[in-house]
Amino acid sequence: MVTFLPSRPGRLADVPSFTRAIGGAESNVACGLAAAGHRVRWVGRVGRDGFGDHLVDAIAGHGVDVSAVGRDPHRPTGVYFRTDEDRAGDAHEVVYYRAGSAASAMSPATVPYDVVAGARILHLTGITAALSADCLALVRELTAPRPGRPLVSFDVNHRPSLWRGGRAPDVLLELARRADLVFVGADEAERLWGTGDPAAVRALLAEPEVLVVKRGGAEAVAFRRRVALGRVAPGRVAPGRVAPGQGDPLPAPEPRPDVRPVASGARTPSDPPVSAPGVRPSDSDAVTAVPAPRVEVVAPVGAGDAFAAGFLSATLRGLDATARLRHGHLAAAAALTVPGDFAAPPRRDRADRLAALDGAAWGTLHLGPGWTGDDQEGPDRTGDDQEVRTP
């Protein structure tokens, strides 16, 4: 999808001009993972028009495989306009022009399963499911239980303006329960299911092996199942078994393709529980909570997609739960400190140094515009306020 960014703050009615950029949750995650060094394929559908050309070329320019992107000669590429304000605030405006778009025509018939079957992680979002009945059928098909299914990552990504008839709560809960790894914001869980409490959300979503509840700029909490629920995670082959057609037991090692329609991942042994205020661990879960660093926000858009990319990247690398959450926070901070929807993550060595800080140093981390630049040696600075920023 092509996004148009406002030239200045204010209502859409008052913004005189816009800048064209690439947008869309799945493509943002794809670009973030490719920038982090992973092999990624984006599976989508765009119009055979100038906006479609721009979108495919721009995403490919980030190192993403776009060979599975369909071009629709009869439907246009979707676009949207937005304001600069925080998406969660009342002043934020976003206008989608996606009805009848090429992406809304995706279906099990236009996206064959074999284009995603070889990935280690398949990343999906609730946005695709909201576009049309055919798109919902596609997401249901891709999350259906089957032997050897890729690890399915699902970002709830509730966009109220895309849903009709009050179906979002039930449909998104159904899809999330079919996934292996789920991302959800506490605010959207509150809107959808009446609770933003992480433990209560986990009670609703007991099926996924991993659940990440994001509490805005405060913290992120990861629940990882450590006691079997009496069955294999949705759609997965039992640990140690060989999936049909596979030569290695799951989880498969590198170098399987990393990510489609954006992603891929690997599993590590269960991480020890970490107590978190307001979170009540159950006997079946290891719980890890990591506070978000302090960030000087330039534009409060794109952080959720970036967090998912950072978390999935650390998952692919086999890092522990704390490191996964910290890499998610760092990628989100990169997005928050630029004006557009997407920002390349920090270099891996820099992100690794920051993610390895002790608890006290992490707690004083301060990230400002330009902190990911190669000319900064921020990760090595210490003081009263651990800073990674440019003046």
Side-chain angles (χ1 to χ4, degrees):
M1 185 170 58
V2 174
T3 181
F4 287 88
L5 309 176
S7 57
R8 63 176 176 83
R11 303 182 309 152
L12 285 178
D14 300 327
V15 175
S17 60
F18 296 82
T19 300
R20 184 189 63 181
I22 62 172
E26 295 87 355
S27 56
N28 286 343
V29 175
C31 292
L33 281 162
H38 302 286
R39 291 177 299 147
V40 186
R41 171 181 288 178
W42 178 58
V43 180
R45 194 167 180 83
V46 301
R48 193 170 291 167
D49 52 30
F51 285 149
D53 293 342
H54 167 69
L55 198 59
V56 171
D57 291 347
I59 293 172
H62 286 284
V64 176
D65 176 0
V66 296
S67 61
V69 176
R71 304 300 298 266
D72 193 317
H74 306 297
R75 298 175 179 86
T77 302
V79 302
Y80 81 100
F81 295 77
R82 68 165 176 83
T83 57
D84 266 341
E85 285 72 25
D86 191 331
R87 194 186 297 275
D90 293 337
H92 179 74
E93 295 178 74
V94 58
V95 178
Y96 293 100
Y97 295 94
R98 305 182 78 166
S101 69
S104 71
M106 289 191 298
S107 71
T110 62
V111 182
Y113 185 77
D114 60 6
V115 303
V116 304
R120 294 175 59 202
I121 294 178
L122 169 63
H123 182 71
L124 305 165
T125 82
I127 295 175
T128 300
L131 296 181
S132 68
D134 283 344
C135 283
L136 176 56
L138 172 62
V139 177
R140 282 176 168 151
E141 172 73 13
L142 294 176
T143 58
R146 67 180 76 210
R149 188 185 80 173
L151 186 151
V152 172
S153 166
F154 182 74
D155 193 334
V156 171
N157 248 331
H158 179 223
R159 297 291 183 267
S161 62
L162 294 177
W163 289 91
R164 298 290 182 269
R167 301 180 62 214
D170 290 341
V171 172
L172 291 173
L173 188 63
E174 169 208 337
L175 296 175
R177 285 173 170 170
R178 295 157 69 104
D180 303 299
L181 164 60
V182 173
F183 300 96
V184 64
D187 56 343
E188 59 188 349
E190 178 74 40
R191 290 195 307 269
L192 287 165
W193 307 312
T195 180
D197 174 72
V201 176
R202 181 52 160 170
L204 285 169
L205 291 171
E207 293 84 357
E209 181 179 339
V210 177
L211 169 68
V212 179
V213 181
K214 299 169 291 180
R215 294 173 130 177
E219 67 176 357
V221 183
F223 296 83
R224 182 184 179 87
R225 191 187 313 127
R226 57 183 178 182
V227 176
L229 297 181
R231 64 177 181 78
V232 180
R236 302 291 288 166
V237 174
R241 295 184 186 173
V242 178
Q246 305 282 342
D248 300 309
L250 296 176
E254 296 278 9
R256 288 182 70 187
D258 280 349
V259 188
R260 301 175 186 175
V262 274
S264 49
R267 303 186 185 192
T268 57
S270 295
D271 302 292
V274 176
S275 61
V279 177
R280 300 176 298 280
S282 71
D283 291 338
S284 62
D285 279 320
V287 184
T288 306
V290 172
R294 185 156 60 98
V295 178
E296 294 181 16
V297 176
V298 173
V301 180
D305 302 332
F307 183 98
F311 188 96
L312 290 171
S313 175
T315 299
L316 285 165
R317 297 171 59 201
L319 304 184
D320 64 26
T322 296
R324 295 181 196 190
L325 291 169
R326 286 187 172 187
H327 277 276
H329 283 313
L330 292 170
L336 290 169
T337 50
V338 299
D341 286 19
F342 171 77
R347 294 193 320 264
R348 180 175 289 186
D349 60 342
R350 174 165 298 182
D352 283 344
R353 289 198 300 270
L354 289 172
L357 292 172
D358 62 34
W362 177 265
T364 59
L365 195 61
H366 180 193
L367 305 175
W371 73 274
T372 63
D374 289 347
D375 58 338
Q376 281 298 107
E377 293 300 325
D380 301 319
R381 294 176 57 187
T382 57
D384 293 336
D385 200 29
Q386 180 88 14
E387 293 192 358
V388 182
R389 55 179 294 183
T390 56

